[in-house]
Amino acid sequence: MRPSRQRPLTVLLDATEKCNLKCTMCYFSATDRLRWEPFDRELSPDGMMPLEVFEKIAADLFPRAWRVALACAAEPLIHPRFIEMVGIAGRYRVPDLWFPTNLLALTEKKAQAIVDAEVTTVGVSIDGTRQETYEAIRIGGKWARLMKVLDLFNQTREERRAKTGLRIIFTWMKTNRGDLLQLPEFAERHGANEIDVRFVVPTAGVDVSDEVLDGEDPSRLRDELGTAAEDAVRRGLRLSSYPEYDSAEEMSGPLARLRRQWFRRRAGLDRWEYTHYRMRERLKGCVWPGDFYVVRPNGAVSPCIFWNQEPIGYYPDDSFAELSQGPRLTAILDGLRSGRPVGTCQSCSQRKNALYVRLKRLVGRGDSGDLAEARGSGSGSSDLVQL
């Protein structure tokens, strides 16, 4: 799957401002409700996007999108109209329709709606392969409930012969340090076809200083990451995203680089879409504005998940034509092309890469680094959706 002229867009959408958990590394550990600019704008008093607004967004954006994430920063399954929403999304046959979730609010009807809508992938954030670590990190979650809903989801997929894939999302930190090596076996046993591993990073308003791994022995981190990755690929699991773990010394020779390239291809890490992104960055200065539309529960539309100033428009007030050709997005794109960025772009240093680029340097050089610069995009849970 890749962008095309007919479907060039990626859409990231949150239909709710809430979550049913308070994970230790997540912004929801410090708040019951996420709010986005402008803070005085809301479409409903409970923070749930009205169904008719979702319908307008879907009709406007989904036919133009090759990838749609039905969640970005909050928990989609708790929306009271989730079944209807996923059914609406399914009508547009988006090539890559997916969402991240903790899955705990899954019911039989929701599971059926997901597979009937032909959702491509459900990404389940677990952060632990054992009850002790799972419940220590995902506050409010119960291991027994997780096992039950995973079984329900797999049973529904099997009964309906669904193609919907299962991705296990794992945020690596000190509490679950030892669980990483068990992750491939856990994922295979529970019917997953992909894993997504990321480091925990500092999150605004949340103290994760006791969890970050930047003070650990880099060689041991590399060994653990490499062992888990190789085990996953042996089991036939795809690595939808994964930290780099090869040191400069290990990649010094052409044969080593060739082997690494072959492994990345087998693992699914080298994908055409990344070449597309690099081409777009060279042409526009950044891949996000113009190709990505981020829609928040209050209807605010931003050009990327890092934009923290005035939105480029609002649903249901504006149309796609007004958003894509409006003065705000035009000014952002012109600023990037000319090398004179405006708004958030003035201080943004491609923070979406901070998780991997900075930690690649950390793990590769043995440098403790300063992960504080990697803040801004969340804790490595649902806000960091796969691009």
Side-chain angles (χ1 to χ4, degrees), residues 5 11 21 48 76 114 130 138 160 171 241 263 267 358:
R5 290 184 179 180
V11 178
L21 295 183
M48 302 290 180
I114 290 167
R130 297 172 295 129
R138 305 195 71 80
R160 302 203 170 208
T171 306
S241 65
F263 177 81
R358 291 191 177 278

Side-chain angles (χ1 to χ4, degrees), residues 200-385:
V200 70
V201 295
T203 299
V206 182
D207 182 10
V208 295
S209 57
D210 291 339
E211 292 287 1
V212 293
L213 294 167
D214 58 337
E216 301 297 310
D217 179 357
S219 63
R220 292 187 62 187
L221 292 177
R222 286 198 302 269
D223 289 344
E224 291 167 35
L225 285 167
T227 299
E230 291 167 9
D231 185 23
V233 173
R234 276 197 302 269
R235 295 174 184 272
L237 297 169
R238 184 174 182 263
L239 307 182
S240 63
S241 65
Y242 204 83
E244 291 284 357
Y245 54 85
D246 290 308
S247 67
E249 293 78 11
E250 291 170 327
M251 298 299 292
S252 58
L255 184 58
R257 290 193 294 270
L258 185 61
R259 286 175 177 169
R260 181 57 177 159
Q261 184 179 7
W262 172 242
F263 177 81
R264 287 181 60 84
R265 192 174 299 275
R266 286 176 56 217
L269 287 168
D270 284 340
R271 299 195 287 277
W272 186 93
E273 64 189 84
Y274 295 148
T275 302
H276 169 79
Y277 292 152
R278 287 191 292 269
M279 292 169 56
R280 298 296 288 175
E281 283 183 334
R282 284 196 293 268
L283 288 172
K284 301 186 339 181
C286 180
V287 70
W288 286 81
D291 282 2
F292 285 71
Y293 287 80
V294 181
V295 189
R296 301 304 190 181
N298 63 357
V301 183
S302 297
C304 74
I305 61 173
F306 310 115
W307 188 261
N308 58 15
Q309 298 189 20
E310 184 179 10
I312 62 173
Y314 302 92
Y315 279 110
D317 311 56
D318 300 318
S319 66
F320 175 72
E322 292 168 316
L323 293 170
S324 61
Q325 301 170 28
R328 296 170 192 161
L329 182 57
T330 299
I332 293 169
L333 291 171
D334 288 346
L336 289 168
R337 291 192 189 102
S338 66
R340 295 187 291 272
V342 301
T344 305
C345 300
Q346 291 177 310
S347 58
C348 179
S349 58
Q350 295 287 330
R351 285 180 291 173
K352 65 180 181 297
N353 293 326
L355 277 177
Y356 307 105
V357 174
R358 291 191 177 278
L359 285 165
K360 177 181 178 181
R361 294 170 183 163
L362 155 68
V363 174
R365 290 200 312 253
D367 185 6
S368 61
D370 180 8
L371 298 189
E373 292 184 41
R375 74 174 67 246
S377 59
S379 62
S381 54
S382 57
D383 192 42
L384 287 168
V385 300

Side-chain angles (χ1 to χ4, degrees), residues 37-161:
E37 294 277 7
F39 298 121
D40 59 350
R41 175 186 171 88
E42 61 179 26
L43 298 178
S44 66
D46 61 359
M48 302 290 180
M49 180 183 287
L51 183 64
E52 59 271 18
V53 176
F54 180 87
E55 284 188 289
K56 177 175 172 56
I57 295 167
D60 224 16
L61 295 179
F62 292 7
R64 298 177 169 90
W66 77 282
R67 174 174 289 158
V68 171
L70 295 177
C72 181
E75 174 51 52
L77 291 181
I78 65 172
H79 196 292
R81 310 294 292 274
F82 172 81
I83 290 175
E84 293 158 281
M85 286 179 168
V86 76
I88 291 168
R91 297 175 195 162
Y92 295 96
R93 295 295 182 259
V94 178
D96 190 1
L97 176 64
W98 86 286
F99 61 89
T101 173
N102 57 51
L103 204 66
L104 298 178
L106 188 75
T107 63
E108 184 176 351
K109 289 184 178 180
K110 290 176 185 177
Q112 291 171 353
I114 290 167
V115 299
D116 288 348
E118 298 184 8
V119 171
T120 310
T121 304
V122 175
V124 181
S125 296
I126 61 161
D127 306 321
T129 60
R130 297 172 295 129
Q131 180 175 352
E132 310 90 86
T133 47
Y134 175 82
E135 293 185 358
I137 294 169
R138 305 195 71 80
I139 305 301
K142 297 299 180 184
W143 183 256
R145 176 63 184 170
L146 176 65
M147 296 297 101
K148 182 176 181 179
V149 292
L150 280 171
D151 288 345
L152 171 60
F153 180 64
N154 286 322
Q155 180 181 347
T156 305
R157 290 196 297 167
E158 183 178 351
E159 289 175 349
R160 302 203 170 208
R161 298 181 181 179

